[in-house]
Amino acid sequence: MLSSLPPLTVVIAAPRGFCAGVDRAIKIVELALERYGAPVYVRHEIVHNKFVVDRLRRLGAIFVEELDEVPDGLPVVFSAHGVPKAVPAAAQERGLDYLDATCPLVSKVHRQAERLIEAGRHIIFIGHAGHPEVIGTFGQVPAGAMTLVETVGDVATLRPADPDNLAFLTQTTLSVDDTAAIVAALRARFPGIRAPRGEDICYATSNRQAAVKAIASRCDRLLVIGAPNSSNSVRLVEVAEREGVPARLIQRAGEMDWDWLGDARNLGLTAGASAPEVLVQEVLDTLARRYTLQVEEAEHVPEGMTFKLPRELVA
């Protein structure tokens, strides 16, 4: 019997979803709960995804914004976004057991910042004001040693005390294209500015943006599964729209806007680096109740990146 449902081709971007840093951070909380028992406190959302946070909360994790909210004698985990140096120092002073789930690629930026300051350079940091990763990175160096820029326009307003002794670093979850434009503006204005030794924007952010670009020409609409406070997820929406494809960010299938989807026949689907694959399947299952689906996954080279867990959890 022929289906009476309208046809819809869903083109799933690849790679998508969890990156190695997110996977590691979640595993750290899970192992801490096994090792110490509930509750385990987590300073800030371990990753920016409500589904993930709610699941860990059910297992016994308690999420707080400040270390002052952690009772004495209980373990605390620092989120994947990184924290200022003052936070672990305060934990040590209180005698708290703490585990640092900072993504190793964010930690790499922290180490670069320290070395540049030791070399006497002022750092121009490309990022988004208020993002936990930016706050954490600024907290690695003395106050006033780093200046934030968010746009190409910000570059024109810079008035560094020593224009010939600058360096730049970037947040790991930025738009590749936006960042390239800002870097070009910095280099044009300050030709001697020192660049990072390697790319600061992480492999997962770059790969997921490239994956959206790769499928954009085949799509009438594109859905990104991710949280509104997830920088890398928001960037995926921007990438799609720059490619001329209307795009929406949703956290769960229940947020689907059917009027927005309209009479689209080719829908792109991806997930930010903090969104688990189960949410991709949830969206597909929801679509299948309204459409006769044809699902196509884009070809890709598997990422294969893994990061070591803290020694105290695997010993």
Side-chain angles (χ1 to χ4, degrees):
M1 179 177 173
L2 292 175
S3 172
S4 60
L5 298 176
L8 180 68
T9 298
V10 180
V11 185
I12 308 179
R16 63 183 176 277
F18 277 2
C19 63
V22 164
D23 197 51
R24 174 181 180 269
I26 294 168
K27 181 65 71 176
I28 286 173
V29 178
E30 292 170 343
L31 289 174
L33 285 163
E34 289 179 19
R35 172 66 60 92
Y36 299 105
V40 166
Y41 279 74
V42 184
R43 186 186 180 278
H44 193 66
E45 291 184 345
I46 187 68
V47 296
H48 285 156
N49 186 273
K50 186 176 185 299
F51 179 89
V52 170
V53 168
D54 285 349
R55 173 183 163 272
L56 292 172
R57 190 178 278 123
R58 289 193 297 272
L59 293 176
I62 296 176
F63 293 88
V64 297
E65 286 304 308
E66 298 300 338
L67 199 63
D68 293 347
E69 300 172 67
V70 180
D72 289 340
L74 289 178
V76 60
V77 179
F78 303 145
S79 81
H81 312 97
V83 296
K85 278 184 175 180
V87 174
Q92 283 182 324
E93 190 174 325
R94 287 181 54 193
L96 297 177
D97 285 327
Y98 69 87
L99 294 160
D100 190 355
T102 301
C103 173
L105 298 180
V106 174
S107 296
K108 183 190 80 171
V109 176
H110 291 179
R111 291 192 297 271
Q112 289 184 90
E114 290 173 333
R115 286 195 295 266
L116 289 167
I117 297 307
E118 287 170 4
R121 291 190 178 254
H122 184 85
I123 299 170
I124 308 300
F125 192 80
I126 304 169
H128 296 297
H131 190 277
E133 183 183 333
V134 174
I135 294 169
T137 304
F138 268 68
Q140 306 305 308
V141 301
M146 196 180 292
T147 299
L148 181 70
V149 298
E150 298 186 81
T151 66
V152 169
D154 290 342
V155 175
T157 66
L158 289 172
R159 297 291 182 269
D162 186 357
D164 298 322
N165 203 22
L166 299 176
F168 73 86
L169 296 171
T170 83
Q171 185 178 329
T172 63
T173 54
L174 299 178
S175 159
V176 173
D177 294 336
D178 282 348
T179 305
I182 295 170
V183 169
L186 283 171
R187 284 179 161 146
R189 185 150 181 234
F190 309 108
I193 195 167
R194 180 182 290 182
R197 289 183 180 177
E199 178 64 66
D200 280 347
I201 295 177
C202 83
Y203 78 94
T205 296
S206 299
N207 289 352
R208 279 147 190 72
Q209 290 177 25
V212 166
K213 290 179 181 179
I215 67 169
S217 63
R218 301 168 58 188
C219 304
D220 306 320
R221 300 278 191 278
L222 188 135
L223 284 174
V224 177
I225 302 169
N229 61 339
S230 166
S231 176
N232 78 85
S233 299
V234 173
R235 304 290 82 75
L236 293 176
V237 173
E238 295 171 356
V239 167
E241 291 179 337
R242 284 183 181 173
E243 295 292 312
V245 182
R248 284 287 176 90
L249 180 71
I250 61 171
Q251 297 194 75
R252 300 288 299 271
E255 295 180 9
M256 185 81 70
D257 183 340
W258 300 107
D259 290 336
W260 171 80
L261 189 56
D263 58 359
R265 288 295 172 260
N266 296 282
L267 174 66
L269 180 61
T270 190
S274 304
E277 185 66 13
V278 64
L279 299 185
V280 175
Q281 189 58 52
E282 181 186 79
V283 168
L284 291 173
D285 292 343
T286 300
L287 290 167
R289 291 196 281 271
R290 289 179 177 246
Y291 297 93
T292 300
L293 290 189
Q294 179 178 333
V295 179
E296 302 175 5
E297 181 165 355
E299 293 183 6
H300 74 293
V301 177
E303 290 175 325
M305 179 76 76
T306 58
F307 295 131
K308 291 180 180 178
L309 291 163
R311 252 177 268 157
E312 54 267 48
L313 290 179
V314 294

